[in-house]
Amino acid sequence: MPAPRGGPNVSAQIVPSCSGNRSALGDRHCLLTSSMASRSAACRASWTIGREDASCRGAGWDDDEWHDVTDPVKDAAASRLAAAQAEFDSEVVYLNTASLGLPPRRSLQALQEVLTQWRAGRASPPDYDEPLAAARASYAALVGVDRANVAVGSQVSVFAGLVAAALPDGSEVLTVSGEFTSIVFPFLAQAERGIRVREVPLEHLADAVTARTALVAVSAVQSADGRLADLAALVEAAAATGARVLLDTTQAAGWLPIDASRFAYTTGGGYKWLLAPRGTCFFTVQPELADRLGPAHRRLVRRC
Ligand SMILES: Cc1ncc(COP(=O)(O)O)c(C=O)c1O
């Protein structure tokens, strides 16, 4: 067993198996990685933030695994990590958030409460307004727009359909080869009034914007393979010709910083990196363009 470390308010011991495995977060992270798998979430959280919890003793905690604060910055990072980990309970090593995010403990609890109320005949529609407003405000803050310019809906394809319906007859829509169908098919469905969809490789997207392009429809992160669009180049190219951009944030919002204010429209499903239930979707529109969308969307934006 290595000697305890010294210093102000420091009394730490390192488990031997960690001695060759210190990473960015230092000893604390080493202890986390070596111990977390076998610990209950509650014990893991209370151990990581450095507070001794008597109930953890019975769960197999050894005295020499208690680790006091050695660095406030590292400690804060470890605490946040532990609090986040304590929100999840997957029974497997889960790596499929790009398909379906897992619900955090607090979301599950909120959903269960609402379902119980509904089943008991005690649900009232206005009760849903507050959480809906909170979700809109959170999403607005996440993507850097005013909440008045965020709508909540059910699916990306529905919002893309609203954008498609607002295009003038004969418009050209530029998109990426292999792009997710939800932001391509709603435009193909308007072919009979002359809407044309042109596909180019992702890496040529910005260069392919021309004066004939009315709209560019693209995902910030490609669903098929995770490639990132060059959004700075796209915004510049679109500004030069007056084209608008519909950005799909489904595979991005939640882990990749997005500034939705730079795009005419953005839309993103909530059930992946935002860890929301299926059937949750967000849409943003630049304020000056809101009135040009169809009546259904206008009502949605104004009402909420
Ligand atoms: C990039 C992207 N957009 C949209 C969606 C979902 O579209 P919709 O809400 O129309 O089902 C997905 C789902 O995998 C996706 O990866």
Side-chain angles (χ1 to χ4, degrees), residues 91-106:
E91 293 174 3
V92 293
V93 176
Y94 193 82
L95 299 174
N96 203 16
T97 305
S99 287
L100 199 62
L102 297 183
R105 189 183 301 276
R106 63 184 126 154

Side-chain angles (χ1 to χ4, degrees), residues 155-157 180 182 219 221 223 248 250-251 271-272:
Q155 279 189 285
V156 165
S157 43
F180 196 81
S182 291
S219 295
V221 178
S223 181
D248 182 331
T250 307
Q251 294 291 357
Y271 63 95
K272 297 176 187 289

